[in-house]
Amino acid sequence: MHVVIAPDCFTGTLTATQAAEAMAAGWHDTAPRDALTLLPLSDGGPGFIDVLGRSLEGDTVAVTVSDPLGREVPGAVLVVERDGGRTAYVESAQAAGLHLLAADERNPALTSTWGVGELLLAALEEKPDRVVVGLGGSGTNDAGAGLLAALGAGPAHDLARGGRALATAPDDALSGLLAVREQLREVDLVIATDVDNPLLGFKGASAVFGPQKGATPEVAQELEGALGRFTEIVARTLPEPLDLLSGAPRRLEREPGAGAAGGLGYALLLLGGRRVSGVQLVLESVGFHDVVRGSDLVITGEGTFDWQSLHGKVASGVAEAALEAGLPTVVLAGQVLVGRRETMGLGISGTYAVAETPEQLDAALLDPVGTLRARAARVARTWSAGR
């Protein structure tokens, strides 16, 4: 039996590679005769560069950038030459990731995306034809204002002090935005997102993702107003773009993916970027369809399999691609918070949680590799035909 193991990272505990290796070890414990292919994945969030670097022949350029609170952290740009073009890949979570913040530091009213701008500048120094920015797993909610400041679109004291400060930003805070757009005009800027949320509203960045980053309901409401103010500044600065087909005005804050990574998607749209599904881009880059050809089962997973997992995340992308290939998919996650009815439409044949009780969750956090390995071994007893 041939099994493809293709998980995302288990946020906060395991990288995608570590998760795949733990699953493979557990499966081998039960079914040592099965052939296993490990294919760690990402949807644009943490691990984006590592995952692509395993499959794409390219050079990794090491850089030092700022984290959400302005401290120096290591980052990298992956530069790939292919089909006569040069592409630079950037992982925004390296500079804006929630994992860079201690629990008592998580406050999206204060965190900035300045460091993501530094990553983008490093990518542009490589003279690429295309820049792909992976979005996801952020600890910020500033609509990408910090990124724009780092690129020279406006003063750092107006734009790089977190989302809350945007409420009092002056009308001319983005006086350099047009010049930055012009500098990027010859670059194909691709926004690889894990979600399709707009910037504002009940499905926007502040309302949906703010609480995950430490925002209280009051802070989330405050951020909603501050980001609304930011869109007013944009409207005063940037001519309203038009839809190429209909000629109708485009409200970029309403575009799918504008709310990704706390609004980083919005800032990149302002710079002329175009959005793609992060997981689909990764699946194509790593040759997922070729890898699964001739296999019997696909296993994917992530830390928490919930309603968000059903839309644009690795698990849903893998399941849909496997379904096209006529293969069953099994999800193995730290926690499973959705039922069978919600997953059947994606072609998921089974979901299995490492932790089903608070006690098991504590054990999983203390020994993520061991508990994931043990759960994979039990799943193999159900699914392996060769044990």
Side-chain angles (χ1 to χ4, degrees):
M1 183 173 180
H2 182 197
V3 182
V4 176
I5 300 177
D8 195 357
C9 65
F10 280 49
T11 305
T13 57
L14 298 173
T15 67
T17 298
Q18 290 170 334
E21 291 173 346
M23 291 179 183
W27 197 277
H28 186 265
D29 290 340
T30 296
R33 291 182 294 173
D34 286 353
L36 307 179
T37 298
L38 278 59
L39 191 68
L41 296 175
S42 170
D43 52 23
F48 185 62
I49 293 297
D50 288 341
V51 165
L52 291 176
R54 287 170 57 100
S55 299
L56 302 178
E57 294 184 2
D59 297 318
T60 300
V61 180
V63 296
T64 299
V65 296
S66 303
D67 80 353
L69 294 177
R71 300 167 298 204
E72 289 189 347
V73 290
V77 176
L78 176 64
V79 182
V80 177
E81 302 271 3
R82 177 177 284 188
D83 300 327
R86 187 174 176 85
T87 299
Y89 294 90
V90 170
E91 180 185 316
S92 64
Q94 291 183 342
L98 187 64
H99 67 282
L100 298 173
L101 302 171
D104 60 356
E105 295 176 332
R106 296 179 177 181
N107 184 349
L110 303 178
T111 50
S112 170
T113 54
W114 175 277
V116 185
E118 294 175 320
L119 278 173
L120 187 53
L121 286 171
L124 294 172
E125 288 180 1
E126 299 302 317
K127 308 298 182 185
D129 305 296
R130 182 174 72 140
V131 176
V132 180
V133 184
L135 303 188
S138 78
T140 56
N141 200 103
D142 70 348
L147 172 147
L148 295 175
L151 296 179
H157 61 78
D158 290 331
L159 302 175
R161 294 186 294 121
R164 175 184 286 152
L166 298 176
T168 56
D171 289 345
D172 62 351
L174 289 170
S175 57
L177 179 58
L178 288 173
V180 173
R181 278 176 55 93
E182 182 61 25
Q183 293 169 6
L184 293 172
R185 189 168 57 88
E186 299 300 323
V187 178
D188 180 17
L189 182 59
V190 180
I191 312 164
T193 75
D194 60 345
V195 297
D196 58 4
N197 299 66
L199 180 66
L200 303 173
F202 290 116
K203 296 183 179 180
S206 304
V208 176
F209 305 112
Q212 301 172 8
K213 305 173 185 184
T216 64
E218 293 77 17
V219 169
Q221 187 171 5
E222 187 179 1
L223 287 169
E224 178 76 6
L227 268 55
R229 164 60 183 161
F230 188 60
T231 65
E232 294 174 0
I233 297 171
V234 170
R236 293 173 181 271
T237 308
L238 196 65
E240 196 167 53
L242 301 178
D243 184 271
L244 295 179
L245 295 177
S246 67
R250 292 175 61 198
R251 297 286 298 275
L252 295 183
E253 68 271 21
R254 298 179 182 176
E255 293 278 310
L264 259 173
Y266 177 63
L268 294 169
L269 287 169
L270 294 178
L271 296 177
R274 57 184 178 88
R275 177 194 173 263
V276 300
S277 163
V279 66
Q280 294 302 324
L281 181 144
V282 171
L283 290 174
E284 292 172 7
S285 298
V286 303
F288 180 84
H289 290 283
D290 292 333
V291 172
V292 300
R293 186 177 294 122
S295 62
D296 302 294
L297 176 68
V298 178
I299 301 175
T300 188
E302 60 184 327
T304 301
F305 185 69
D306 57 16
W307 67 270
Q308 293 183 41
S309 307
L310 307 179
H311 305 282
K313 298 287 189 176
V314 165
S316 60
V318 166
E320 290 172 354
L323 185 62
E324 291 179 9
L327 296 172
T329 297
V330 168
V331 173
L332 180 51
Q335 293 180 284
V336 175
L337 303 179
V338 292
R340 180 167 175 75
R341 178 177 297 178
E342 290 85 359
T343 61
M344 286 180 61
L346 293 174
I348 294 173
S349 300
T351 57
Y352 301 88
V354 173
E356 297 177 332
T357 67
E359 294 77 16
Q360 290 177 346
L361 180 59
D362 291 339
L365 293 175
L366 288 172
D367 183 15
V369 171
T371 52
L372 180 57
R373 177 174 180 165
R375 190 60 168 127
R378 295 197 299 273
V379 172
R381 296 189 190 109
T382 300
W383 284 93
S384 175
R387 64 186 180 90

